[in-house]
Amino acid sequence: MRKSYRILYQGGTGEITEKKSRFIANLKPVETEAEALAFIEETRKRYWDARHNCYAWIIGRGGEEKRLSDDGEPSQTAGKPMMDVLEGEKLVNLCAVVTRYFGGTLLGTGGLVRAYSKAVQEGLKACTTLTVEPAVKLSVTTDYNGIGKIQYLLGQREITTLGIEYTDRVELTVLVPDAALDKLRADITEVTGGRAGLLPTGEVYYGIFNKEVVLFPG
């Protein structure tokens, strides 16, 4: 059974200051280890004079790949609290890098944990996240007598129409969430007296951004 997941759709940057130390969080969507490593290296070059560039990433729809680094900070004080924030937000396919410019005052282990956590939280405020749901593209073919009933039904269920073609019949391509597919097929069959053709044409995932449907590979 396919499940929904939550991704970073657009990255962002946030910054906090703790006892004159600057913590700059940069977050970016990534889908592979190579993309994550490239982003970490790019961040290190941008902040070449910083003392630490700590990171955490989660890759895979189920969060199958995870990696973190304290980059010279005391063990468990940077990468783990960063990872805890990402996991707490249930996000996947993203990489977070927190750059620290030392301000001259030691923060202690508890202070570092709080600072790195807070920096990632601040960075997330500048990002856009999406909940991605599994769905099926469904081709619905009907005569002109049935189209009004079908469109009314789709409107009631808030089902997105991706395309429509008019020939001697009408063919709609609609995006149906997995959980709604069986009921919708039964209802379309009922309202058209079994005269509508229903054909799944592909599995996808989708999210809604600015009221627009964004499709992802199935």
Side-chain angles (χ1 to χ4, degrees):
M1 180 178 176
R2 299 190 302 162
K3 296 181 180 180
S4 63
Y5 58 99
R6 191 162 177 245
I7 63 168
L8 196 72
Y9 185 58
Q10 294 178 338
T13 301
E15 180 176 342
I16 66 166
T17 302
E18 293 288 340
K19 295 182 179 179
K20 298 183 179 180
S21 279
R22 292 175 63 201
F23 294 83
I24 307 165
N26 285 278
L27 295 96
K28 183 177 181 177
V30 296
E31 294 187 353
T32 65
E33 179 178 340
E35 289 179 4
L37 292 172
F39 175 57
I40 294 164
E41 185 60 27
E42 170 192 319
T43 306
R44 282 177 173 154
K45 288 179 179 177
R46 187 188 318 166
Y47 303 106
W48 58 271
D49 55 341
R51 179 170 290 194
H52 306 283
N53 285 284
C54 307
Y55 63 81
W57 83 59
I58 303 175
I59 294 172
R61 289 172 180 162
E64 293 85 359
E65 293 183 45
K66 299 178 182 180
R67 187 176 297 182
L68 54 84
S69 170
D70 295 311
D71 194 35
E73 294 281 31
S75 179
Q76 306 286 302
T77 63
K80 186 178 186 306
M82 292 169 63
M83 181 68 77
D84 287 345
V85 172
L86 302 183
E87 290 181 330
E89 293 293 329
K90 294 181 169 55
L91 287 165
V92 299
N93 288 348
L94 79 165
C95 180
V97 183
V98 175
T99 302
R100 182 190 182 191
Y101 284 93
F102 184 55
T105 302
L106 296 175
L107 300 182
T109 55
L112 286 171
V113 168
R114 288 189 294 273
Y116 278 99
S117 298
K118 188 177 176 182
V120 174
Q121 291 166 350
E122 193 67 22
L124 283 171
K125 292 177 183 177
C127 298
T128 300
T129 61
L130 279 186
T131 298
V132 181
E133 305 277 356
V136 171
K137 286 184 178 180
L138 181 68
S139 173
V140 182
T141 306
T142 182
D143 55 30
Y144 282 82
N145 292 326
I147 186 61
K149 297 174 183 178
I150 292 173
Q151 288 181 316
Y152 178 75
L153 183 62
L154 296 176
Q156 280 188 318
R157 305 291 168 81
E158 298 183 342
I159 300 296
T160 299
T161 298
L162 299 175
I164 185 166
E165 290 185 14
Y166 298 93
T167 55
D168 57 326
R169 294 172 66 78
V170 184
E171 181 178 355
L172 300 93
T173 301
V174 296
L175 184 68
V176 188
D178 280 9
L181 181 60
D182 289 345
K183 182 71 164 62
L184 182 68
R185 293 176 74 167
D187 289 345
I188 290 176
T189 298
E190 181 179 347
V191 300
T192 63
R195 292 189 298 273
L198 303 170
L199 179 65
T201 60
E203 293 184 340
V204 296
Y205 285 84
Y206 77 99
I208 305 295
F209 177 65
N210 286 342
K211 299 182 179 179
E212 296 289 334
V213 173
V214 182
L215 295 179
F216 299 90

